[in-house]
């Protein structure tokens, strides 16, 4: 009945038609107006209650002692937690993350070692002793404050970063993430993240492998070497920060699918060789643009742009990238992109195809 009480005049009309008694109308009129007032109150209160419920539901995976922190990560837009633990300085381990977030200290089967900012190049290999964890490769970098990572094939379930006096930030990923950037320590009183003291490591679980569909049919996908997004909203294209030496990052298709890896060589004579290895079930896409004497000509399916300074925050145009080549569709091994001058950042764009189930005829 209450949803009908939208306006006092409408209430009077409804009552008048229903009963001709003036006294009865007056009483019902007052009740009707009370209903209108009640609806106005509910109109204000219900959104507030709903907001509180939504906020509460966002914390349902967390222990009641965990508190939301900042800053939010860039790629995955994850809000971190500060969780309780045995070490009063804020250092946390994967068992404590499992207990606080999932109510199970043994939730994470895999974890990496603690690393200081200058030691990220040593990698984040598993130290749990579980052989199922060895296949996951985590590469991370930092600028002294912010951290970015790529991981595969299993990804990252939690990242723990310590800095300042505010404890440690725990970024939790469900499902596990193959990449993220903009992770940092808790905020200082001035509103900026504290300088990174160290990473207490990454936590994850082995992800059950999918044997994939049968052979024969493929779908086009766009892939990028992982790293930092050119823009934080919309287009998910990414560029890789080059550390000046040999390094490997994941090649993600459709933002979340691990299509392979991209290897960067150390500079030789000012040249960096970029090699692309596709995973099983993937191949380089061939886009015909014509033919010469019956031989088809294909558009470039690998496009690379190097930058000596951080790229501008705008959508990239791979067709205008300076360095291009064609990889044959049946070549699942290494593809070298020659003559790429050494730069600080690289955008690597690849047109690929993903093996899928053939439609039933």
């Amino acid at each position: 009945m209450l949803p009908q009480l939208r306006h006092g005049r409408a209430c009077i009309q409804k009552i008048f038609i229903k009963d001709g008694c003036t006294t009865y109308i007056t009483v019902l009129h007052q009740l009707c107006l009370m209903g209108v007032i009640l609806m106005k109150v509910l109109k204000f209160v219900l959104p507030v209650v709903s907001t509180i419920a939504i906020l509460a539901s966002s914390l349902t995976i967390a222990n009641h002692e965990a508190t939301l922190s900042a800053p939010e990560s860039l790629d995955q837009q994850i809000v971190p937690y500060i969780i309780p633990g045995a070490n009063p300085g804020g250092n946390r381990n994967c068992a404590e993350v499992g207990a606080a977030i999932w109510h199970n200290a043994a939730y994470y089967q895999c974890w990496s070692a603690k690393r200081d900012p200058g030691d990220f190049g040593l990698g984040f290999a598993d130290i749990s002793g579980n052989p199922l964890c060895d296949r996951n490769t985590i590469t991370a970098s930092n600028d002294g404050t912010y951290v970015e990572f790529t991981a595969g094939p299993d990804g990252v379930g939690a990242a723990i970063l310590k800095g300042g006096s505010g404890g440690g930030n725990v970024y939790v990923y469900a499902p596990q993430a193959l990449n993220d950037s903009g992770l940092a320590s808790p905020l200082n009183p001035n509103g900026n993240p504290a300088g990174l003291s160290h990473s207490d490591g990454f936590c994850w679980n082995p992800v059950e492998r999918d044997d994939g569909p049968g052979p024969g049919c493929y779908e086009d996908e766009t892939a990028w070497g992982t790293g930092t997004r050119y823009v934080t909203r919309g287009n998910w294209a990414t560029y890789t920060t080059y550390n000046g030496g040999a390094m490997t990052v994941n090649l993600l298709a459709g933002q979340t699918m691990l299509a392979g890896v991209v290897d960067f060589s150390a500079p030789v004579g000012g040249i960096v060789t970029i090699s692309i290895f596709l995973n099983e079930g993937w191949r380089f896409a061939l886009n015909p643009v014509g033919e010469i004497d019956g031989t088809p000509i294909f558009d470039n399916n690998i496009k690379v742009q190097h930058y000596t300074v951080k790229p501008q925050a705008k959508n990239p145009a791979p067709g205008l990238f300076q360095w291009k080549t064609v990889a044959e569709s049946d070549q699942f091994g290494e593809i070298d992109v020659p003559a790429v001058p050494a730069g600080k950042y690289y955008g690597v764009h690849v047109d690929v195809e993903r093996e899928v189930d053939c439609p039933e005829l």
Side-chain angles (χ1 to χ4, degrees):
M1 301 298 287
L2 283 179
Q4 296 179 359
L5 306 181
R6 296 181 180 177
H7 195 283
R9 182 172 297 176
C11 289
I12 295 171
Q13 290 174 349
K14 289 179 183 292
I15 295 169
F16 183 79
I17 294 172
K18 193 172 184 179
D19 195 313
C21 177
T22 304
T23 304
Y24 187 49
I25 290 173
T26 302
V27 173
L28 289 180
H29 179 205
Q30 297 299 322
L31 291 174
C32 183
L33 292 178
M34 290 175 62
V36 172
I37 294 172
L38 176 60
M39 283 302 299
K40 290 183 176 180
V41 172
L42 288 175
K43 184 178 180 181
F44 171 78
V45 172
L46 287 177
V48 175
V49 173
S50 299
T51 301
I52 294 173
I54 291 171
L55 289 175
S57 67
S58 69
L59 299 175
T60 53
I61 67 168
N63 183 283
H64 67 281
E65 297 180 35
T67 57
L68 291 175
S69 183
E72 178 182 285
S73 70
L74 291 180
D75 294 346
Q76 306 297 336
Q77 299 176 17
I78 298 297
V79 176
Y81 293 100
I82 295 177
I83 66 170
N87 189 311
N91 296 319
R92 299 292 176 256
N93 58 44
C94 292
E96 290 172 326
V97 175
I101 303 300
W102 304 106
H103 308 289
N104 180 5
Y107 179 82
Y108 291 109
Q109 302 175 44
C110 318
W111 54 87
S112 66
K114 169 185 172 182
R115 294 286 187 224
D116 293 330
D119 294 333
F120 273 36
L122 298 176
F124 292 87
D126 173 69
I127 60 171
S128 71
N130 184 342
L132 295 178
C133 303
D134 294 339
R135 71 187 186 195
N136 198 38
T137 300
I138 300 175
T139 302
S141 61
N142 72 88
D143 62 3
T145 300
Y146 293 99
V147 172
E148 61 181 84
F149 72 82
T150 60
D154 297 323
V156 164
I160 313 170
L161 303 178
K162 175 68 175 69
S165 59
N169 268 348
V170 179
Y171 291 82
V172 180
Y173 301 90
Q176 294 179 172
L178 297 177
N179 68 290
D180 202 0
S181 65
L183 289 70
S185 304
L187 302 183
N188 281 326
N190 64 8
N192 295 319
L196 181 65
S197 170
H198 58 268
S199 165
D200 281 314
F202 294 92
C203 320
W204 71 95
N205 286 319
V207 176
E208 184 177 351
R209 297 194 182 195
D210 185 355
D211 292 335
C217 295
Y218 289 83
E219 287 184 351
D220 291 335
E221 298 285 354
T222 295
W224 289 88
T226 54
T228 303
R229 288 174 59 161
Y230 283 86
V231 293
T232 57
R233 295 290 185 271
N235 193 327
W236 65 271
T238 52
Y239 61 86
T240 301
T241 301
Y242 180 57
N243 64 13
M247 58 179 286
T248 301
V249 300
N250 288 330
L251 181 70
L252 291 186
Q255 192 171 3
T256 59
M257 294 177 287
L258 185 63
V261 296
V262 181
D263 279 359
F264 295 82
S265 73
V268 178
I271 302 300
V272 174
T273 298
I274 298 176
S275 305
I276 299 170
F277 300 84
L278 295 183
N279 288 339
E280 190 173 338
W282 295 83
R283 68 184 185 186
F284 294 98
L286 289 180
N287 304 305
V289 293
E291 62 178 49
I292 296 179
D293 297 331
T295 301
I297 301 173
F298 299 102
D299 191 13
N300 298 304
N301 49 22
I302 299 176
K303 306 175 183 72
V304 176
Q305 182 63 52
H306 75 284
Y307 309 91
T308 56
V309 297
K310 187 175 181 179
Q312 295 181 0
K314 64 179 183 180
N315 291 333
L320 301 179
F321 281 6
Q322 184 174 6
W323 308 99
K324 307 171 186 178
T325 190
V326 177
E328 298 295 334
S329 63
D330 59 349
Q331 190 170 3
F332 290 89
E334 182 177 25
I335 301 296
D336 289 334
V337 182
V340 179
K344 294 183 178 179
Y345 308 93
Y346 289 89
V348 179
H349 176 276
V350 185
D351 295 318
V352 294
E353 293 181 342
R354 176 173 60 97
E355 191 176 21
V356 297
D357 287 319
C358 293
E360 295 184 4
L361 300 177

